[in-house]
Amino acid sequence: MRVPLSWLREYVDLPATETGRDVQAKLISAGLEVETVEHLGADLKGPLVVGQVLTIEELEGFKKPIRFCTVDVGQANGTGEPQEIVCGARNFSVGDKVVVVLPGATLPGGFSISARKTYGKVSHGMICSSDELGMGDDGTHGIIVLPPETEVGKDAVELLELVDEVLDIAVTANRGDCLSIRGVARETAIAYGLPLRDPALLDVPGPNAFGYPVKVSDPAGCDRFTARTVTGLSPEARSPIWLQRRLQKVGMRPISLAVDVTNYVMMELGQPLHAYDRHQVQGTIGVRRAQEGEKIVTLDGVERKLHAEDLVITDDRGPIGLAGVMGGAHTEIADHDPAEEGAAATTDVIIEAAHFDQVSVARTARRHKLSSEASRRFERGVDPQAASAAAQRTVDLLVLLAGGTAEAGVTEVIAPSAPHTITLAADHPDKVAGVTYGRETVVRRLQEVGCDVYGQDELIVTVPSWRPDLTDPNDLAEEVIRLEGYENLPSTLPRPPAGRGLTGRQRLHRRVGRALAGAGYVEALNYPFVSEQVFDQLGLEADDPARRVVKLVNPLSDEEPALRTSLLPGLLAALRRNDGRGSHDLALFETGLVFQPRDAARVAANLPVDRRPSPDDIAALNAALPDQPRHVAVVLAGAREQAGWWGKGRPADWADAVEAARTVAREAGAELGIRKGQYGPWHPGRCAELTVTVDGAERVVGHAGELHPRVLKTLGLPARACAMELDLDVLERVGDTVPQAPSISTFPVATQDVALVVDAYVPASDVEAALREGAGELLESIRLFDVYENAEQLGEGRKSLAYALRFRADDRTLTVDEASAAREAAVALATDRTGAVLRG
């Protein structure tokens, strides 16, 4: 909402020394978000005067039309002689009053004006357009043509109100009252402790039987409809300069007098209005729900097919407007245009000032993708009591500016309703803020907002009609706190009990992050929102548990309405985005929560704000939330080791993803089982299933390996990309995070190497497990150091696995026979379990 300071001063007697910055600081302290203060005309320097065009000479021989003009500027140029000016605009004629900037002046943007030769003539200044003066769009896209009665030589800076300050306020969804000068003036008056001259306090005649007939068939959608009629508008009447300038300053374009007046009153009082050409309205004006399939052409010239939930304004022919959103083209106000012969300008208008349901207007605007100034206000809440005052203000301006006559008939259709009252303990704001305000302060602040307050210890508060956002005691407490000043709330740091630090879960989370960062991975934090289509892209089965998602009622994006059950969608999107921007060698990781719905849905209770929730309250709240285990995931693409003078690099492969899982397991102190697997997005031949033993039973906690080519193609990922994901909470459960001091033996190690030939499909982990078990207690470590495949030497479908076995005893030096016996026992068990043959 753009608020000119000059307009604001009409309703609040601000000190003359107060600047826009001062008002901004006051309003921010009161809780409004004033983003900027724009200084209009700050770099504008005169002389800028009103001139009258005396002669126009068309210059020939140029690529575009050029005119050489003489303009009477009175005594503004010091000589009284006509000013010679070259101009390329075509929208003015001899005798027109225009805005002239003379040599020595400076226009917005630091553009200095001087006499200069152009197109074979010397131009002593410029005839100005609204854009050149920083006024905004006036609809003409040409020279400013002033009313004929404007005095020649008059200072145009003052005439056009070019110097002003405009506050740009970001109005939140609950403060619809601040989408008007009236609402911001009220906040300003409260902030300064000054009286408000409410522009809505007008003498309004009561309804009578002579008004234009109106029938409201849906009182829930329209609880108030006021109609007034003005006749005899002058077709030649134009919006005065002050009215046009105020509309331009708030960001609206002047159109025609009748439309400009309704827009002006809307910006002034916050009540959207609509003017109908009375001669184009046939019969009774009605308000009802649309019939499915009905159509209307709106003012933007688009034919729209209506939905059965749309609230529409009708006459005997059908819909003539989308209620609270936009009027229809058939009853549009016609402006006088001398160039169009036979075009009749509107002389009689019907003024509509109504109050429509917020939800209905919001849904209609979104359904038709048609946001307007009116819909913005109705969605956020409009003062229903202001409708009759807004209609009266519009009638008064049309009579004053267009010479019209207000008909005596006044139509008001009102659905009965009672004012909203709230019971509030007088010390409730004190408990919420932790500050003792006292009853007197609470009552005074609520009365400043516009509430009627009765009672002593328990207050009965009647909410003003312009604040529909005040619905419960906490809303009233917020009003007291913000007006007393958020900056005055004491800052008290919590005192944590001694001896407590991070939880075990938090420490593991940090250790895992540091370990992966040390291994060359970069952390990528992603939003936890996904679309359900991503599960099809990842190749998950139709009955996969990961497809069961928690859906948000009000998602940030309709395309991603669900909470993630896996970290991979966000990480893979980050991988694709970085690869598309030229970073091809990538290793990313993320640790974060995933969300799994519970079998039985529960509704969370509202927690108290005046005391600490009890353990039962917190337990009930947690029971209503989805399960939120913490996962860790990595993705890799491109080179894992860069090539250079030190040697050849190598690309990332499935083994790197598996090693990332081992790194995480080591930090958790968990023993991770690795075996061949097949799941979702991973390549069926290059996927490792990751397991741990929980309460004596083996449990799958994740997968690692190379992604399926089909998934890579669908998601637009680089070739041979790899990924890993683990359930970090399960690893924490089974892990032993107690630091283990290394065992240092004084006895030497005995190393034995063994190469076993097995079928190609036998997992190396199975062979390693058999060797480890067969070697017994003397085995200190085992490491796979070579994999060899050669059909000529080993046979078709065979491979050789070479392991280094380290043996050591705690109490003696092992003999060759002891080490050899342990090695042979290990080979024997591997042969028995996997069919391994010792390579000769």
Side-chain angles (χ1 to χ4, degrees):
M1 175 67 189
R2 292 170 57 84
V3 180
L5 189 60
S6 59
W7 199 351
L8 197 61
R9 288 182 182 275
E10 281 198 9
Y11 310 127
V12 183
D13 289 326
L14 295 173
T17 57
E18 288 295 285
T19 66
R21 294 290 184 191
D22 298 328
V23 177
Q24 177 188 31
K26 285 283 190 179
L27 293 180
I28 289 176
S29 178
L32 295 186
E33 186 178 348
V34 185
E35 294 185 325
T36 60
V37 178
E38 183 180 353
H39 297 268
L40 301 182
D43 51 355
L44 175 65
K45 187 178 77 171
L48 188 73
V49 299
V50 176
Q52 183 172 21
V53 180
L54 300 178
T55 65
I56 298 177
E57 178 188 348
E58 301 289 345
L59 301 182
E60 305 292 339
F62 300 102
K63 292 182 179 180
K64 61 180 182 178
I66 298 297
R67 311 168 96 185
F68 181 65
C69 310
T70 59
V71 185
D72 178 14
V73 295
Q75 297 300 317
N77 57 4
T79 65
E81 296 294 323
Q83 201 79 1
E84 296 179 339
I85 299 174
V86 175
C87 183
R90 314 287 299 176
N91 69 313
F92 65 95
S93 306
V94 172
D96 283 345
K97 302 289 181 66
V98 294
V99 178
V100 179
V101 57
L102 301 177
T106 303
L107 293 182
F111 183 59
S112 298
I113 302 299
S114 61
R116 65 188 182 95
K117 189 172 183 179
T118 178
Y119 298 103
K121 300 284 187 179
V122 177
S123 182
H124 298 271
M126 284 176 53
I127 301 176
C128 297
S129 69
S130 59
D131 287 338
E132 289 164 342
L133 297 179
M135 295 169 56
D137 184 12
D138 63 356
T140 64
H141 303 291
I143 294 302
I144 301 170
V145 178
L146 300 172
E149 64 272 13
T150 310
E151 179 186 349
V152 172
K154 183 178 178 63
D155 183 5
V157 175
E158 179 183 351
L159 175 69
L160 299 177
E161 301 177 15
L162 296 179
V163 178
D164 202 349
E165 293 181 277
V166 178
L167 286 71
D168 193 351
I169 303 175
V171 179
T172 55
N174 66 317
R175 291 303 304 273
D177 60 305
C178 289
L179 284 173
S180 66
I181 304 296
R182 178 196 185 201
V184 177
R186 182 182 294 107
E187 291 294 319
T188 306
I190 295 172
Y192 278 91
L194 296 171
L196 169 71
R197 288 189 293 273
D198 191 343
L201 294 180
L202 301 174
D203 290 330
V204 180
N208 53 51
F210 310 108
Y212 198 90
V214 173
K215 179 182 179 182
V216 177
S217 303
D218 191 336
C222 176
D223 58 5
R224 182 180 292 265
F225 194 107
T226 300
R228 300 289 298 275
T229 304
V230 181
T231 60
L233 302 181
S234 172
E236 288 79 19
R238 294 291 175 266
S239 300
I241 293 174
W242 65 265
L243 179 58
Q244 295 187 45
R245 288 297 294 132
R246 286 194 169 177
L247 290 177
Q248 288 174 326
K249 289 177 184 178
V250 297
M252 302 191 76
R253 179 172 63 88
I255 299 173
S256 65
L257 178 57
V259 175
D260 292 349
V261 166
T262 58
N263 286 336
Y264 177 86
V265 175
M266 175 179 68
M267 303 307 296
E268 182 180 54
L269 301 182
Q271 168 66 53
L273 301 109
H274 189 70
Y276 301 94
D277 187 328
R278 180 174 180 176
H279 297 296
Q280 300 300 324
V281 178
Q282 298 182 8
T284 301
I285 292 178
V287 184
R288 61 170 172 81
R289 299 289 171 175
Q291 298 173 7
E292 193 70 42
E294 277 188 310
K295 295 181 180 180
I296 183 176
V297 179
T298 46
L299 288 174
D300 56 359
V302 178
E303 183 178 78
R304 303 180 185 277
K305 187 176 180 180
L306 300 178
H307 188 275
E309 291 184 4
D310 291 336
L311 192 67
V312 293
I313 311 297
T314 65
D315 65 3
D316 291 350
R317 294 169 299 180
I320 59 173
L322 284 173
V325 180
M326 185 174 286
H330 296 307
T331 56
E332 181 180 8
I333 298 295
D335 195 16
H336 173 68
D337 189 349
E340 294 187 21
E341 295 184 5
T346 298
T347 57
D348 301 341
V349 297
I350 302 171
I351 306 300
E352 166 210 304
H355 184 260
F356 301 111
D357 176 60
Q358 292 178 240
V359 175
S360 176
V361 172
R363 288 178 176 172
T364 297
R366 284 158 178 74
R367 190 179 297 119
H368 294 283
K369 296 181 175 60
L370 186 62
S371 179
S372 65
E373 292 289 344
S375 68
R376 285 183 63 218
R377 284 161 175 77
F378 279 121
E379 288 175 25
R380 290 161 175 78
V382 169
D383 180 6
Q385 303 293 333
S388 56
Q392 182 64 45
R393 177 74 164 137
T394 305
V395 168
D396 292 344
L397 287 173
L398 288 176
V399 171
L400 175 67
L401 302 176
T405 301
E407 289 194 351
V410 177
T411 302
E412 279 196 8
V413 180
I414 303 175
S417 62
H420 181 57
T421 59
I422 302 171
T423 301
L424 172 76
D427 61 348
H428 183 68
D430 301 5
K431 294 179 179 179
V432 173
V435 176
T436 302
Y437 293 123
R439 179 188 177 280
E440 297 298 326
T441 299
V442 171
V443 172
R444 175 171 56 85
R445 288 303 189 183
L446 292 180
Q447 288 175 339
E448 288 177 346
V449 171
C451 299
D452 291 330
V453 185
Y454 303 95
Q456 292 298 319
D457 294 338
E458 187 173 82
L459 305 178
I460 306 300
V461 181
T462 302
V463 174
S465 59
W466 56 83
R467 291 299 302 274
D469 58 305
L470 303 180
T471 60
D472 58 53
N474 289 330
D475 294 330
L476 299 178
E478 182 183 3
E479 293 299 299
V480 175
I481 295 168
R482 75 175 180 88
L483 294 179
E484 283 295 304
Y486 291 120
E487 70 276 9
N488 295 324
L489 293 177
S491 298
T492 305
L493 292 176
R495 296 183 178 180
R500 295 186 183 180
L502 299 176
T503 64
R505 189 185 195 208
Q506 291 169 332
R507 287 195 295 270
L508 174 60
H509 178 208
R510 294 192 178 186
R511 286 203 311 274
V512 167
R514 285 195 294 266
L516 290 175
Y521 290 86
V522 177
E523 186 172 16
L525 301 177
N526 300 289
Y527 285 118
F529 312 117
V530 296
S531 67
E532 294 184 83
Q533 287 72 27
V534 75
F535 301 123
D536 297 326
Q537 297 170 340
L538 293 178
L540 300 186
E541 298 292 338
D543 58 348
D544 194 296
R547 285 182 176 270
R548 293 186 63 237
V549 295
V550 177
K551 289 188 178 180
L552 300 174
V553 175
N554 189 21
L556 292 179
S557 169
D558 292 337
E559 296 179 358
E560 295 180 332
L563 292 174
R564 66 189 178 190
T565 55
S566 166
L567 300 182
L568 287 185
L571 271 181
L572 294 177
L575 181 71
R576 178 179 64 248
R577 184 163 52 252
N578 283 274
D579 180 72
R581 294 177 180 174
S583 299
H584 304 301
D585 303 325
L586 296 162
L588 309 177
F589 84 94
E590 181 177 10
T591 58
L593 302 179
V594 299
F595 304 86
Q596 300 167 349
R598 299 182 186 269
D599 294 332
R602 300 183 183 180
V603 177
N606 290 328
L607 295 181
V609 296
D610 58 343
R611 59 179 174 80
R612 175 182 171 82
S614 68
D616 291 340
D617 291 334
I618 298 175
L621 179 63
N622 288 332
L625 298 175
D627 289 328
Q628 301 175 53
R630 185 177 294 279
H631 281 202
V632 57
V634 306
V635 293
L636 305 101
R640 185 67 177 130
E641 295 178 2
Q642 297 290 335
W645 58 265
W646 52 84
K648 294 182 179 180
R650 70 172 183 85
D653 62 15
W654 61 269
D656 294 302
V658 173
E659 182 56 30
R662 287 196 178 102
T663 299
V664 173
R666 281 195 296 270
E667 293 299 324
E671 185 175 345
L672 192 66
I674 301 172
R675 66 189 182 199
K676 182 178 180 181
Q678 181 174 346
Y679 177 71
W682 280 277
H683 192 296
R686 304 187 184 108
C687 174
E689 195 171 67
L690 311 174
T691 65
V692 294
T693 301
V694 182
D695 298 330
E698 191 175 59
R699 176 172 171 180
V700 177
V701 291
H703 295 83
E706 183 179 317
L707 295 174
H708 199 290
R710 184 171 58 250
V711 172
L712 299 179
K713 181 178 180 181
T714 302
L715 295 177
L717 299 172
R720 309 302 294 269
C722 303
M724 179 277 295
E725 183 167 12
L726 273 173
D727 189 327
L728 198 53
D729 282 357
V730 176
L731 289 183
E732 180 191 6
R733 245 174 72 195
V734 303
D736 182 5
T737 56
V738 177
Q740 298 291 329
S743 176
I744 301 174
S745 176
T746 59
F747 299 98
V749 66
T751 302
Q752 296 274 352
D753 293 345
V754 59
L756 302 176
V757 179
V758 296
D759 291 331
Y761 63 82
V762 175
S765 59
D766 290 353
V767 178
E768 179 181 328
L771 290 173
R772 187 183 299 277
E773 183 179 341
E777 295 181 354
L778 295 179
L779 182 67
E780 184 179 78
S781 67
I782 181 172
R783 179 174 64 88
L784 175 67
F785 67 86
D786 183 54
V787 179
Y788 177 71
E789 295 181 4
N790 189 315
E792 294 182 1
Q793 296 184 16
L794 303 178
E796 193 69 34
R798 305 279 282 175
K799 64 181 178 183
S800 171
L801 305 175
Y803 294 89
L805 287 72
R806 292 166 58 91
F807 297 98
R808 196 195 308 258
D810 295 334
D811 56 350
R812 67 187 187 283
T813 299
L814 294 178
T815 64
V816 174
D817 292 339
E818 287 177 312
S820 298
R823 172 182 179 275
E824 291 170 1
V827 171
L829 188 57
T831 300
D832 182 55
R833 288 190 178 176
T834 65
V837 177
L838 196 63
R839 183 177 173 189

